[in-house]
Amino acid sequence: MAATHLEAGDPVGWFEPLYASARRDPAAIPWGAPGPHPYLTGWLEAPVATPPGRRAVVVGCGLGDDALAVARHGFEVTAIDVAPSAVRWAGRRHRRSGIAWRTLDVLDPAARAPLEGAFDLVVEVLTVPYLPGVVRDAAMHAIGALVAPGGVLVVVTLVAAGPDRAGDGPPWPQVPSELAAYRSAGLVRLALDHPPPEPMAAAMPVRLTFQRPRS
Ligand SMILES: C[S@@+](CC[C@H](N)C(=O)[O-])C[C@H]1O[C@@H](n2cnc3c(N)ncnc32)[C@H](O)[C@@H]1O
């Protein structure tokens, strides 16, 4: 499904048919493991930096479990995803969460413009490594642009163990050098956390924390 859309020059078009064809069965979604990502819950319990306010956005929210975890920590959450079926599904799963669910392509400058600089906490879990190289810089810039002055960005991604992107994706683990795109979006890196590398692993999960300076 991904290959067909990528060949047609549509890097995000495969997400919607994937969610739609799952017919509300999380087991049919490759990343549909129930519950928030443990790197995110760990961060929420022991934040690397304190967001200056309570406005949060979760980008690429999928089935919404990360957004729910953020809401349960007292944030007013907007959760966005390019796939309308994911947004509807997440809204039904977490009906009384108070989360604002929105279908939005973060790569679309016009759709994104009203959200730029609007969030004290921005969360991105495993979205960028599912995008092909050609739009990754733009995606990281777009996500970074959502962070308010003084605000904090938490990213959970996959990073390749070596200098080259590992294997056939999606996902395509990120190479460490491409993560600099967040800094060129005006953010300062505060922390990079990961488990001890496994000797033969081609990629490992990494959590990064960035902050936008106040001025
Ligand atoms: C690999 S999934 C991860 C979903 C969720 N974060 C999780 O960890 O379960 C990537 C998600 O990002 C969404 N996505 C991809 N490109 C996007 C874009 N340009 N704007 C908004 N959402 C996007 C997809 O629809 C999908 O739900």
Side-chain angles (χ1 to χ4, degrees):
M1 206 178 261
T4 309
H5 281 85
L6 294 178
E7 277 160 26
D10 180 7
V12 300
W14 58 279
F15 291 104
E16 171 54 22
L18 189 145
Y19 283 109
S21 62
R23 300 184 185 280
R24 303 257 158 94
D25 175 8
I29 302 294
W31 49 84
H37 197 287
Y39 268 19
L40 174 63
T41 49
W43 195 97
L44 291 166
E45 278 151 26
V48 170
T50 306
R54 307 311 289 171
R55 301 163 302 170
V57 65
V58 176
V59 181
C61 65
L63 302 187
D65 292 10
D66 293 323
L68 183 66
V70 176
R72 284 184 171 161
H73 276 76
F75 288 90
E76 297 157 22
V77 179
T78 299
I80 66 177
D81 202 287
V82 71
S85 293
V87 171
R88 281 194 295 271
W89 188 353
R92 288 173 79 112
R93 292 182 83 216
H94 308 299
R95 226 181 277 269
R96 279 177 282 279
S97 61
I99 294 167
W101 305 99
R102 289 189 59 182
T103 299
L104 189 139
D105 181 353
V106 78
L107 290 166
D108 177 345
R112 187 181 70 235
L115 305 185
E116 289 190 351
F119 296 99
D120 304 299
L121 176 64
V122 177
V123 173
E124 189 284 283
V125 178
L126 296 175
T127 295
V128 175
Y130 281 79
L131 299 175
V134 13
V135 294
R136 282 181 177 204
D137 260 22
M140 288 184 277
H141 269 273
I143 292 164
L146 305 179
V147 183
V152 177
L153 166 66
V154 181
V155 172
V156 177
T157 190
L158 287 174
V159 170
D164 302 319
R165 263 181 217 136
D168 290 333
W172 301 275
Q174 298 197 261
V175 293
S177 58
E178 71 183 76
L179 298 169
Y182 289 114
R183 292 196 224 181
S184 60
L187 305 175
V188 175
R189 196 169 89 188
L190 302 182
L192 183 155
D193 308 294
H194 57 77
E198 290 174 29
M200 298 303 285
M204 63 181 171
V206 167
R207 184 182 71 193
L208 298 120
T209 305
F210 297 88
Q211 189 162 32
R212 182 177 299 288
R214 282 188 183 275
S215 56

